[in-house]
Amino acid sequence: MEKIHSQATNLVLAAVSCVRSSGNSKPWDYGWCVESYRRSKQASISSPDGPVSLSAGGVTKIEELHELLAKQSQLRDRWSLEELWGYLATLVSAVSTMSEKESKARGFLARIIYTEPSLVIFPVSNIAWEGTPLRIGKKSVIGVLDSAFMEAVQQLGGRAQAHKDRVETYISQLRHRNPRVGFAALVPGQRGLARSQAERNLQLVVDLTMMLVTNKSGRNLWSLRGDTNRPGVRGITLDRKAVEAGLRESGDDVELYSNPLVIDALGQKGGIQWLGEEPIPLRDLLQEDALRSAVERCLTKENGFLRRLHVAARWFAESYWSSTQDDAALAAGVALDALLGSKSALPGRAMKERYALLEEDRKARSQRAKQYEDMYSVRSIVAHGGEPRKLSEGNFLRDMQDSITWAAWRLLEVNSTFSISNEKELESLLEDLRWGTREWPSSEAPKPVPRNDP
């Protein structure tokens, strides 16, 4: 990166030579990502000495600088390319006010080019947590925001270890109601990208857990009740229990339920609708060794095969927290596609066969194939505007979600049993299973894979 660093420095110095005073007293640094703004007469940049602008040649040099840095994959992993425009513009304006411009330019650019992972900490909503914090994935901690949490964060190393006092101050100044559960992550991104990556990491932990946990009804985990208790970043996603407590104290708890008037063939009736789901007991779920090990494997193993579970988990979550059956069916169908499909689109017959071949019992594969046909049929009818009867019969949709859980566990078993790490290896395995040249190994030892018998 030294060559890139030197080229970037020269472009900064060229842009600095084009700095001039600005007649616009209201600079918009972020707006430099918009070409029409940065090339307009009103374009200005904040600086220590007041707003400045650039000549057309200076704007061109910033564009060349952004293009140079945007080509580097290392930079794309660490910075939002949209945000980067504003940082480069203010870097130029700051250097223009300083002596020893070349060394200052190199120093500022080094902070952009050579970066350590960022530490991101935020409180989360709708997660129940009792006990010590857990370190999960490569560089993440989740738990109650207390001294034990801060110690666990320190053990992540890097900025987490170097900024103990700042972490302690941040947590002590939070004003959210207790209990306060938090999430911390070391991520490669900087600034806005760091926040996005940390939030995605949280969602991935939650989504993988919810997709892989078995016997959901036995744990009082009920899908299709909407997203009132869906975990997220607290303050952006409302914490249902905190909101309930606050509204009851103020006497405004009427805002927590719906009480419509219904006049129909049988007369007049109201009826209260209340969405008061409990927080997700994430720690209790992750205390199970098999589940936690599976989630950890998905989070830490770097291979394209397991990444399909990441995508599937996201769509499973959309299905689980949906309040309408048709939306839930569509999202569940996409989750199945993510688990079973390939980059080149596969016909329904091939997808059905893949699903059936995940079954180790050869005699049960025809039943699995029929199960997939039913799910695909419902998804297809909904996608084309129809209303499949199966959605209103029995417990079809939750059974479909359980089938996704089964398929996800079977793919984890594929990964561990056959050492499959990419699409090509999966295709080869499925072909061998189809022709009987390879078989699932028989074993008397129990496996942590839910049956979900068709």
Side-chain angles (χ1 to χ4, degrees):
M1 291 296 290
E2 180 56 34
K3 182 178 179 180
I4 301 300
H5 194 177
S6 298
Q7 292 175 349
T9 300
N10 291 335
L11 288 170
V12 169
L13 294 175
V16 165
S17 68
C18 300
V19 171
R20 58 194 182 190
S21 61
S22 174
N24 183 357
S25 62
K26 296 181 178 180
W28 183 28
D29 298 337
Y30 195 93
W32 279 71
C33 65
V34 181
E35 183 178 7
S36 60
Y37 174 78
R38 66 176 177 268
R39 289 195 164 273
S40 70
K41 293 181 180 180
Q42 289 74 37
S44 65
I45 317 167
S46 58
S47 84
D49 295 339
V52 297
S53 61
L54 293 176
S55 66
V59 174
T60 298
K61 292 303 176 184
I62 282 188
E63 290 174 339
E64 292 175 5
L65 174 61
H66 187 276
E67 182 180 10
L68 173 69
L69 297 179
K71 288 179 179 178
Q72 315 309 313
S73 60
Q74 176 178 312
L75 271 292
R76 293 196 301 273
D77 290 340
R78 297 175 180 179
W79 297 94
S80 160
L81 296 185
E82 186 173 285
E83 285 185 334
L84 188 59
W85 283 104
Y87 301 144
L88 296 179
T90 53
L91 185 157
V92 168
S93 68
V95 170
S96 71
T97 67
M98 300 174 177
S99 57
E100 300 180 357
K101 289 180 172 51
E102 182 173 355
S103 65
K104 293 296 184 182
R106 282 190 65 85
F108 288 153
L109 283 168
R111 296 175 65 180
I112 292 176
I113 296 172
Y114 311 107
T115 59
E116 292 183 25
S118 301
L119 173 65
V120 182
I121 301 175
F122 49 77
V124 299
S125 56
N126 301 317
I127 289 179
W129 199 278
E130 293 184 4
T132 57
L134 290 180
R135 178 169 175 172
I136 191 161
K138 288 183 177 180
K139 293 286 184 177
S140 299
V141 171
I142 186 166
V144 176
L145 289 164
D146 56 15
S147 58
F149 178 87
M150 288 186 281
E151 290 178 11
V153 169
Q154 282 235 336
Q155 293 171 14
L156 294 176
R159 295 189 191 279
Q161 191 172 37
H163 297 285
K164 177 183 177 181
D165 292 343
R166 293 173 69 177
V167 170
E168 186 174 352
T169 299
Y170 169 78
I171 291 175
S172 68
Q173 292 177 347
L174 289 173
R175 297 172 59 191
H176 300 283
R177 287 174 176 263
N178 286 322
R180 296 181 303 185
V181 179
F183 182 79
L186 281 178
V187 294
Q190 310 292 308
R191 294 287 159 155
L193 186 58
R195 293 195 301 273
S196 297
Q197 289 173 346
E199 290 170 15
R200 185 71 204 105
N201 286 356
L202 168 67
Q203 289 303 326
L204 192 54
V205 171
V206 174
D207 294 350
L208 283 168
T209 301
M210 297 305 292
M211 180 177 72
L212 291 172
V213 66
T214 59
N215 188 26
K216 293 179 178 60
S217 59
R219 304 168 191 264
N220 288 321
L221 298 173
W222 301 102
S223 61
L224 305 175
R225 294 189 176 180
D227 60 358
T228 56
N229 70 327
R230 186 170 186 172
V233 179
R234 195 160 177 177
I236 303 300
T237 301
L238 294 180
D239 187 272
R240 180 71 182 190
K241 289 299 181 183
V243 171
E244 285 180 9
L247 289 177
R248 284 198 184 97
E249 289 174 7
S250 66
D252 294 319
D253 52 330
V254 66
E255 301 295 342
L256 294 171
Y257 59 85
S258 169
N259 186 15
L261 172 64
V262 179
I263 303 174
D264 58 19
L266 299 180
Q268 175 178 314
K269 184 176 175 61
I272 291 177
Q273 184 179 13
W274 174 278
L275 296 177
E277 293 296 299
E278 292 298 314
I280 299 299
L282 191 61
R283 191 181 191 281
D284 290 347
L285 298 177
L286 291 173
Q287 285 293 95
E288 295 187 9
D289 292 341
L291 177 58
R292 183 175 176 184
S293 175
V295 171
E296 289 271 10
R297 197 189 336 165
C298 292
L299 292 172
T300 58
K301 277 204 171 184
E302 298 289 340
N303 68 60
F305 177 74
L306 286 178
R307 274 194 290 274
R308 67 178 54 224
L309 272 77
H310 295 196
V311 180
R314 185 166 77 243
W315 285 102
F316 179 89
E318 293 301 318
S319 176
Y320 182 90
W321 271 291
S322 176
S323 58
T324 59
Q325 294 212 352
D326 52 353
D327 287 349
L330 278 176
V334 177
L336 270 175
D337 284 354
L339 289 173
L340 303 171
S342 69
K343 291 182 179 179
S344 57
L346 295 175
R349 182 181 180 85
M351 296 284 282
K352 176 178 69 175
E353 186 175 84
R354 283 186 165 207
Y355 182 78
L357 288 171
L358 292 178
E359 173 60 64
E360 60 186 333
D361 183 355
R362 294 173 65 91
K363 295 178 180 178
R365 287 178 185 171
S366 62
Q367 292 176 288
R368 290 291 179 190
K370 177 63 169 62
Q371 186 182 59
Y372 182 85
E373 283 181 349
D374 290 343
M375 294 186 292
Y376 183 82
S377 173
V378 166
R379 177 259 181 96
S380 182
I381 292 171
V382 171
H384 292 90
E387 298 180 1
R389 284 196 321 179
K390 277 190 171 64
L391 282 183
S392 58
E393 295 176 353
N395 208 26
F396 181 86
L397 195 47
R398 287 191 176 123
D399 288 343
M400 186 175 179
Q401 292 169 345
D402 287 344
S403 296
I404 296 170
T405 297
W406 175 83
W409 275 103
R410 294 307 298 163
L411 285 170
L412 286 168
E413 192 69 17
V414 164
N415 174 250
S416 60
T417 300
F418 299 102
S419 300
I420 301 300
S421 61
N422 57 52
E423 173 64 24
K424 186 176 181 180
E425 292 174 354
L426 176 62
E427 287 181 359
S428 177
L429 170 65
L430 292 172
E431 188 71 8
D432 290 348
L433 289 172
R434 182 183 176 213
W435 291 104
T437 55
R438 268 198 282 184
E439 289 289 347
W440 286 98
S442 59
S443 173
E444 296 180 0
K447 297 176 182 179
V449 178
R451 289 293 307 169
N452 184 34
D453 292 322

